[in-house]
Amino acid sequence: MTPAGEPMAPAFHLIRNPALPPDIARMSLLADAAWRCHHALPEYRPTPLHTLATLAQELGLASLHLKDESARFGLNAFKGLGASFAIHHWLARHPEAGPVTFTTATDGNHGRAVAWSARCTGARAVVFVPSHTVPARIEAIAREGAEVVLVDGGYDLAVARAHEAAERSGWILIQDAACPGYEEIPEWIAAGYWTHARELESTLFPEAESAVDLLVLHAGVGTWPAAMVSYLWHRYGARRPRIAVVEPTEADCVLSSVLAGRPARARGSLRTMMAGLNCGWPSTTALQVISAGADAVMAIPDHWAERAMRRLATPSGGDPAVIAGESGAASVAGLLAMVLDPAFAPVAEHLRLSERPRVLVFSTEGATDPDGWARVVGRPVPS
Ligand SMILES: Cc1ncc(COP(=O)(O)O)c(C=O)c1O
């Protein structure tokens, strides 16, 4: 919001001539290694794919599929795909390393994933967390055996502290955002994220032709949606499905950067309920991929996330119930906004929503803040 309480303008950007994003061949080789790494983990299972036929009908879509990442590795979010591969890959490349400490900064999910992956490999983890992070998310990281360091500031300051600590103490930084001079490990994390797209190759992403026309993806620093953009270009080239990237209005660092044509700070207040997406700066490499290869970037107010959480929790018709956290529900929130809010009509037109597309969204986390979920949905998280 502007200081006067108006939504930030413009709230979207349409990419008119998308093109092949950089570094796809290297990413694809890394993603093969990640696929093998994940399949070797005892906890590995593909996550469920739901069909939301009633919601599709209500929104005028030919079909709506939702991949539910809450069951991933027992971590309640998808982030373990990136952290596990990055840690295993680092250890494989440094067989002579003695006791290692991995470190990172997080709003919750990525830190828990790094803590879990470090524990599984017998390594130590130190996780930097903004002090306003809800206790349930901090406790989930600590339960994985990590040392949690509270940082008196937001996510971006926590990232800076993790970089400094790694430099000072010789720890290995497993951060999911790239910045100049720190690109390799974020690329491994992105390669790890390809696994959930590859899990769809027997259903929605067969080799010959995609069985969906549009993906709606949400961005924090942008590494996850950028990984999906790279995958889709790698698999289908120019015949890929259309791609929309959604962010919170108050943390619109990808949108502000594509508008500026360079990495730029989010224009919003960095106060959003979508805690996992509450990032002031985008990953520099992810930004290159999204600005080259996506079709639209849009920023939505928090009330759409609340509406998406409620709708997923209490579906109509025969749709299955999905427990999605505030950030997890953001791609459904973006889909609702682009169909229902006239302010996003140009986005809907650009993405050809009137042609009744087959749509894929991801719920990237479960109720990682159970109290927050209960406040929004109006009942406790089912056990
Ligand atoms: C639940 C959830 N979904 C999506 C994202 C976005 O991922 P990225 O920051 O790589 O854009 C995050 C990031 O923390 C997240 O926690």
Side-chain angles (χ1 to χ4, degrees), residues 176-256:
D176 50 356
C179 57
Y182 183 77
E183 279 110 359
E184 191 174 47
I185 287 177
E187 186 173 53
W188 299 352
I189 291 172
Y193 295 160
W194 275 38
T195 286
H196 62 187
R198 294 187 63 174
E199 287 172 1
L200 298 171
E201 290 182 349
S202 58
T203 51
L204 299 181
F205 295 149
E207 197 173 350
E209 196 182 348
S210 166
V212 291
D213 307 303
L214 170 65
L215 276 84
V216 186
L217 307 164
H218 41 279
V221 295
T223 298
W224 173 66
M228 297 301 100
V229 171
S230 308
Y231 169 84
L232 292 167
W233 276 91
H234 171 73
R235 185 107 175 125
Y236 298 117
R239 294 177 302 108
R240 72 191 161 78
R242 300 182 285 284
I243 306 161
V245 175
V246 180
E247 295 180 294
T249 303
E250 300 299 337
D252 62 346
C253 60
V254 175
L255 177 58
S256 73

Side-chain angles (χ1 to χ4, degrees), residues 127-296:
V127 179
F128 290 78
V129 178
S131 52
H132 59 69
T133 305
V134 296
R137 295 194 176 113
I138 294 176
E139 283 154 20
I141 298 168
R143 267 200 309 276
E144 298 295 344
E147 184 185 322
V148 178
V149 180
L150 296 184
V151 175
D152 205 5
Y155 170 77
D156 302 283
L157 190 65
V159 172
R161 292 284 177 272
H163 274 268
E164 286 157 18
E167 178 79 16
R168 200 174 49 240
S169 309
W171 297 344
I172 309 306
L173 180 68
I174 305 291
Q175 199 59 56
D176 50 356
C179 57
Y182 183 77
E183 279 110 359
E184 191 174 47
I185 287 177
E187 186 173 53
W188 299 352
I189 291 172
Y193 295 160
W194 275 38
T195 286
H196 62 187
R198 294 187 63 174
E199 287 172 1
L200 298 171
E201 290 182 349
S202 58
T203 51
L204 299 181
F205 295 149
E207 197 173 350
E209 196 182 348
S210 166
V212 291
D213 307 303
L214 170 65
L215 276 84
V216 186
L217 307 164
H218 41 279
V221 295
T223 298
W224 173 66
M228 297 301 100
V229 171
S230 308
Y231 169 84
L232 292 167
W233 276 91
H234 171 73
R235 185 107 175 125
Y236 298 117
R239 294 177 302 108
R240 72 191 161 78
R242 300 182 285 284
I243 306 161
V245 175
V246 180
E247 295 180 294
T249 303
E250 300 299 337
D252 62 346
C253 60
V254 175
L255 177 58
S256 73
S257 300
V258 293
L259 290 168
R262 58 175 165 73
R265 195 183 179 283
R267 298 169 300 170
S269 62
L270 298 184
R271 279 195 294 272
T272 167
M273 71 187 302
M274 293 176 252
L277 314 184
N278 194 6
C279 310
W281 288 89
S283 166
T284 47
T285 48
L287 180 64
Q288 287 170 8
V289 172
I290 292 170
S291 48
D295 295 283

Side-chain angles (χ1 to χ4, degrees), residues 278-373:
N278 194 6
C279 310
W281 288 89
S283 166
T284 47
T285 48
L287 180 64
Q288 287 170 8
V289 172
I290 292 170
S291 48
D295 295 283
V297 181
M298 59 190 276
I300 55 167
D302 281 8
H303 64 83
W304 287 107
E306 295 188 5
R307 189 162 168 173
M309 288 165 73
R310 283 196 283 265
R311 176 60 206 241
L312 289 170
T314 313
S316 40
D319 289 357
V322 176
I323 308 297
E326 298 83 344
S327 307
S331 59
V332 175
L335 178 64
L336 294 177
M338 75 175 76
V339 174
L340 301 174
D341 185 344
F344 291 113
V347 179
E349 192 190 343
H350 186 64
L351 298 172
R352 312 212 301 265
L353 284 191
S354 62
E355 295 175 16
R356 292 177 52 81
R358 299 163 294 174
V359 178
L360 171 64
V361 290
F362 293 80
S363 173
T364 48
E365 67 175 350
T368 52
D369 172 12
D371 292 343
W373 189 93

